[in-house]
PDB file of all heavy atoms in Angstrom:
ATOM      1  N   ASN U  23     -98.453 -15.489  -5.814  1.00  0.00           N
ATOM      2  CA  ASN U  23     -97.815 -14.437  -5.094  1.00  0.00           C
ATOM      3  C   ASN U  23     -96.685 -14.925  -4.192  1.00  0.00           C
ATOM      4  O   ASN U  23     -95.873 -14.107  -3.716  1.00  0.00           O
ATOM      5  CB  ASN U  23     -98.767 -13.514  -4.328  1.00  0.00           C
ATOM      6  CG  ASN U  23     -99.510 -12.622  -5.235  1.00  0.00           C
ATOM      7  OD1 ASN U  23     -99.265 -12.529  -6.448  1.00  0.00           O
ATOM      8  ND2 ASN U  23    -100.528 -11.852  -4.700  1.00  0.00           N
ATOM      9  N   ARG U 121     -99.909   2.676  -7.417  1.00  0.00           N
ATOM     10  CA  ARG U 121     -98.959   1.701  -7.036  1.00  0.00           C
ATOM     11  C   ARG U 121     -97.467   2.077  -7.174  1.00  0.00           C
ATOM     12  O   ARG U 121     -96.719   1.526  -8.008  1.00  0.00           O
ATOM     13  CB  ARG U 121     -99.203   0.347  -7.731  1.00  0.00           C
ATOM     14  CG  ARG U 121    -100.480  -0.181  -7.259  1.00  0.00           C
ATOM     15  CD  ARG U 121    -100.797  -1.550  -8.007  1.00  0.00           C
ATOM     16  NE  ARG U 121    -100.323  -2.674  -7.231  1.00  0.00           N
ATOM     17  CZ  ARG U 121    -100.515  -3.978  -7.627  1.00  0.00           C
ATOM     18  NH1 ARG U 121    -101.181  -4.174  -8.673  1.00  0.00           N
ATOM     19  NH2 ARG U 121    -100.014  -4.894  -6.878  1.00  0.00           N
ATOM     20  N   PRO U 122     -96.991   3.064  -6.313  1.00  0.00           N
ATOM     21  CA  PRO U 122     -95.652   3.490  -6.528  1.00  0.00           C
ATOM     22  C   PRO U 122     -94.648   2.418  -5.920  1.00  0.00           C
ATOM     23  O   PRO U 122     -95.075   1.504  -5.335  1.00  0.00           O
ATOM     24  CB  PRO U 122     -95.586   4.754  -5.651  1.00  0.00           C
ATOM     25  CG  PRO U 122     -96.701   4.646  -4.757  1.00  0.00           C
ATOM     26  CD  PRO U 122     -97.773   3.785  -5.372  1.00  0.00           C
ATOM     27  N   ILE U 123     -93.379   2.622  -6.231  1.00  0.00           N
ATOM     28  CA  ILE U 123     -92.357   1.710  -5.686  1.00  0.00           C
ATOM     29  C   ILE U 123     -91.351   2.546  -4.824  1.00  0.00           C
ATOM     30  O   ILE U 123     -90.210   2.107  -4.584  1.00  0.00           O
ATOM     31  CB  ILE U 123     -91.604   0.954  -6.814  1.00  0.00           C
ATOM     32  CG1 ILE U 123     -91.030   1.862  -7.780  1.00  0.00           C
ATOM     33  CG2 ILE U 123     -92.464  -0.117  -7.412  1.00  0.00           C
ATOM     34  CD1 ILE U 123     -89.958   1.281  -8.602  1.00  0.00           C
ATOM     35  N   ASP U 124     -91.810   3.760  -4.374  1.00  0.00           N
ATOM     36  CA  ASP U 124     -90.870   4.624  -3.640  1.00  0.00           C
ATOM     37  C   ASP U 124     -90.287   3.888  -2.383  1.00  0.00           C
ATOM     38  O   ASP U 124     -89.125   4.049  -2.022  1.00  0.00           O
ATOM     39  CB  ASP U 124     -91.599   5.874  -3.310  1.00  0.00           C
ATOM     40  CG  ASP U 124     -92.884   5.625  -2.439  1.00  0.00           C
ATOM     41  OD1 ASP U 124     -93.684   4.734  -2.893  1.00  0.00           O
ATOM     42  OD2 ASP U 124     -93.095   6.346  -1.454  1.00  0.00           O
ATOM     43  N   LEU U 125     -91.103   3.043  -1.742  1.00  0.00           N
ATOM     44  CA  LEU U 125     -90.664   2.412  -0.507  1.00  0.00           C
ATOM     45  C   LEU U 125     -89.575   1.344  -0.832  1.00  0.00           C
ATOM     46  O   LEU U 125     -88.573   1.223  -0.020  1.00  0.00           O
ATOM     47  CB  LEU U 125     -91.797   1.778   0.256  1.00  0.00           C
ATOM     48  CG  LEU U 125     -92.948   2.689   0.640  1.00  0.00           C
ATOM     49  CD1 LEU U 125     -94.148   1.878   1.237  1.00  0.00           C
ATOM     50  CD2 LEU U 125     -92.504   3.696   1.647  1.00  0.00           C
ATOM     51  N   THR U 163     -95.835  -2.919   2.898  1.00  0.00           N
ATOM     52  CA  THR U 163     -95.746  -3.325   1.528  1.00  0.00           C
ATOM     53  C   THR U 163     -95.232  -4.771   1.413  1.00  0.00           C
ATOM     54  O   THR U 163     -94.242  -5.134   1.934  1.00  0.00           O
ATOM     55  CB  THR U 163     -94.916  -2.326   0.721  1.00  0.00           C
ATOM     56  OG1 THR U 163     -94.487  -2.912  -0.521  1.00  0.00           O
ATOM     57  CG2 THR U 163     -93.593  -1.896   1.416  1.00  0.00           C
ATOM     58  N   VAL U 164     -95.975  -5.516   0.575  1.00  0.00           N
ATOM     59  CA  VAL U 164     -95.694  -6.947   0.387  1.00  0.00           C
ATOM     60  C   VAL U 164     -94.400  -7.103  -0.463  1.00  0.00           C
ATOM     61  O   VAL U 164     -93.429  -7.709   0.061  1.00  0.00           O
ATOM     62  CB  VAL U 164     -96.871  -7.711  -0.243  1.00  0.00           C
ATOM     63  CG1 VAL U 164     -96.563  -9.109  -0.588  1.00  0.00           C
ATOM     64  CG2 VAL U 164     -98.068  -7.670   0.754  1.00  0.00           C
ATOM     65  N   THR U 165     -94.496  -6.672  -1.682  1.00  0.00           N
ATOM     66  CA  THR U 165     -93.273  -6.858  -2.498  1.00  0.00           C
ATOM     67  C   THR U 165     -92.127  -5.986  -2.029  1.00  0.00           C
ATOM     68  O   THR U 165     -90.991  -6.366  -2.166  1.00  0.00           O
ATOM     69  CB  THR U 165     -93.581  -6.624  -4.008  1.00  0.00           C
ATOM     70  OG1 THR U 165     -94.251  -5.343  -4.102  1.00  0.00           O
ATOM     71  CG2 THR U 165     -94.408  -7.634  -4.597  1.00  0.00           C
ATOM     72  N   ASP U 307    -107.290  -8.639  -2.227  1.00  0.00           N
ATOM     73  CA  ASP U 307    -107.393  -9.463  -3.370  1.00  0.00           C
ATOM     74  C   ASP U 307    -108.712 -10.397  -3.366  1.00  0.00           C
ATOM     75  O   ASP U 307    -108.973 -11.137  -4.292  1.00  0.00           O
ATOM     76  CB  ASP U 307    -106.122 -10.447  -3.514  1.00  0.00           C
ATOM     77  CG  ASP U 307    -104.963  -9.679  -4.074  1.00  0.00           C
ATOM     78  OD1 ASP U 307    -105.060  -8.503  -4.427  1.00  0.00           O
ATOM     79  OD2 ASP U 307    -103.815 -10.318  -4.006  1.00  0.00           O
ATOM     80  N   LEU U 329    -106.496  -0.365   0.676  1.00  0.00           N
ATOM     81  CA  LEU U 329    -105.159  -0.478   0.225  1.00  0.00           C
ATOM     82  C   LEU U 329    -104.959   0.205  -1.109  1.00  0.00           C
ATOM     83  O   LEU U 329    -103.834   0.805  -1.309  1.00  0.00           O
ATOM     84  CB  LEU U 329    -104.775  -1.972   0.074  1.00  0.00           C
ATOM     85  CG  LEU U 329    -104.055  -2.491   1.315  1.00  0.00           C
ATOM     86  CD1 LEU U 329    -105.037  -2.627   2.473  1.00  0.00           C
ATOM     87  CD2 LEU U 329    -103.410  -3.776   1.065  1.00  0.00           C
ATOM     88  N   PHE U 330    -105.828   0.062  -1.999  1.00  0.00           N
ATOM     89  CA  PHE U 330    -105.620   0.593  -3.389  1.00  0.00           C
ATOM     90  C   PHE U 330    -106.685   1.636  -3.701  1.00  0.00           C
ATOM     91  O   PHE U 330    -107.877   1.329  -3.411  1.00  0.00           O
ATOM     92  CB  PHE U 330    -105.544  -0.457  -4.453  1.00  0.00           C
ATOM     93  CG  PHE U 330    -104.374  -1.360  -4.256  1.00  0.00           C
ATOM     94  CD1 PHE U 330    -104.503  -2.674  -3.841  1.00  0.00           C
ATOM     95  CD2 PHE U 330    -103.058  -0.893  -4.534  1.00  0.00           C
ATOM     96  CE1 PHE U 330    -103.423  -3.554  -3.657  1.00  0.00           C
ATOM     97  CE2 PHE U 330    -101.990  -1.684  -4.293  1.00  0.00           C
ATOM     98  CZ  PHE U 330    -102.115  -3.016  -3.862  1.00  0.00           C
ATOM     99  N   ARG U 333    -109.659   0.514  -6.762  1.00  0.00           N
ATOM    100  CA  ARG U 333    -109.868  -0.928  -6.895  1.00  0.00           C
ATOM    101  C   ARG U 333    -111.368  -1.299  -6.953  1.00  0.00           C
ATOM    102  O   ARG U 333    -111.790  -2.251  -6.349  1.00  0.00           O
ATOM    103  CB  ARG U 333    -109.158  -1.729  -5.904  1.00  0.00           C
ATOM    104  CG  ARG U 333    -108.889  -3.134  -6.404  1.00  0.00           C
ATOM    105  CD  ARG U 333    -107.960  -3.891  -5.516  1.00  0.00           C
ATOM    106  NE  ARG U 333    -107.485  -5.075  -6.339  1.00  0.00           N
ATOM    107  CZ  ARG U 333    -106.699  -5.939  -5.875  1.00  0.00           C
ATOM    108  NH1 ARG U 333    -106.225  -5.929  -4.610  1.00  0.00           N
ATOM    109  NH2 ARG U 333    -106.284  -7.043  -6.569  1.00  0.00           N
TER     110      ARG U 333
HETATM  111  C1  UD1 T 501     -98.988  -7.391  -3.370  1.00  0.00           C
HETATM  112  C2  UD1 T 501     -99.681  -8.469  -4.131  1.00  0.00           C
HETATM  113  C3  UD1 T 501    -101.053  -8.012  -4.577  1.00  0.00           C
HETATM  114  C4  UD1 T 501    -101.857  -7.544  -3.356  1.00  0.00           C
HETATM  115  C5  UD1 T 501    -101.044  -6.566  -2.553  1.00  0.00           C
HETATM  116  C6  UD1 T 501    -101.766  -6.179  -1.231  1.00  0.00           C
HETATM  117  C7  UD1 T 501     -97.867  -9.704  -5.179  1.00  0.00           C
HETATM  118  C8  UD1 T 501     -97.144 -10.021  -6.428  1.00  0.00           C
HETATM  119  N1  UD1 T 501     -98.896  -8.814  -5.344  1.00  0.00           N
HETATM  120  O1  UD1 T 501     -98.839  -6.289  -4.212  1.00  0.00           O
HETATM  121  O2  UD1 T 501    -101.770  -9.116  -5.127  1.00  0.00           O
HETATM  122  O3  UD1 T 501    -103.032  -6.919  -3.770  1.00  0.00           O
HETATM  123  O4  UD1 T 501     -99.730  -7.041  -2.240  1.00  0.00           O
HETATM  124  O5  UD1 T 501    -102.012  -7.261  -0.473  1.00  0.00           O
HETATM  125  O6  UD1 T 501     -97.553 -10.203  -4.128  1.00  0.00           O
HETATM  126  N2  UD1 T 501     -97.063   1.387  -1.726  1.00  0.00           N
HETATM  127  C9  UD1 T 501     -96.464   2.600  -1.785  1.00  0.00           C
HETATM  128  N3  UD1 T 501     -95.139   2.587  -2.130  1.00  0.00           N
HETATM  129  C10 UD1 T 501     -94.375   1.477  -2.362  1.00  0.00           C
HETATM  130  C11 UD1 T 501     -94.999   0.250  -2.274  1.00  0.00           C
HETATM  131  C12 UD1 T 501     -96.397   0.195  -2.002  1.00  0.00           C
HETATM  132  O7  UD1 T 501     -97.041   3.646  -1.507  1.00  0.00           O
HETATM  133  O8  UD1 T 501     -93.218   1.578  -2.629  1.00  0.00           O
HETATM  134  C13 UD1 T 501     -98.511   1.308  -1.382  1.00  0.00           C
HETATM  135  C14 UD1 T 501     -99.386   0.783  -2.522  1.00  0.00           C
HETATM  136  O9  UD1 T 501     -99.717   1.743  -3.491  1.00  0.00           O
HETATM  137  C15 UD1 T 501    -100.607   0.227  -1.762  1.00  0.00           C
HETATM  138  C16 UD1 T 501     -99.971  -0.311  -0.494  1.00  0.00           C
HETATM  139  O10 UD1 T 501     -98.660   0.413  -0.328  1.00  0.00           O
HETATM  140  O11 UD1 T 501    -101.469   1.229  -1.476  1.00  0.00           O
HETATM  141  C17 UD1 T 501     -99.747  -1.774  -0.459  1.00  0.00           C
HETATM  142  O12 UD1 T 501     -99.088  -2.213  -1.611  1.00  0.00           O
HETATM  143  P1  UD1 T 501     -98.085  -3.455  -1.640  1.00  0.00           P
HETATM  144  O13 UD1 T 501     -98.255  -4.285  -0.450  1.00  0.00           O
HETATM  145  O14 UD1 T 501     -96.719  -2.964  -2.022  1.00  0.00           O
HETATM  146  O15 UD1 T 501     -98.710  -4.235  -2.945  1.00  0.00           O
HETATM  147  P2  UD1 T 501     -97.787  -5.144  -3.909  1.00  0.00           P
HETATM  148  O16 UD1 T 501     -96.680  -5.700  -3.214  1.00  0.00           O
HETATM  149  O17 UD1 T 501     -97.623  -4.369  -5.157  1.00  0.00           O
END
Side-chain angles (χ1 to χ4, degrees):
N23 286 356
R121 294 181 90 175
I123 53 160
D124 56 316
L125 301 173
T163 161
V164 173
T165 48
D307 286 353
L329 266 73
F330 294 109
R333 207 172 194 180

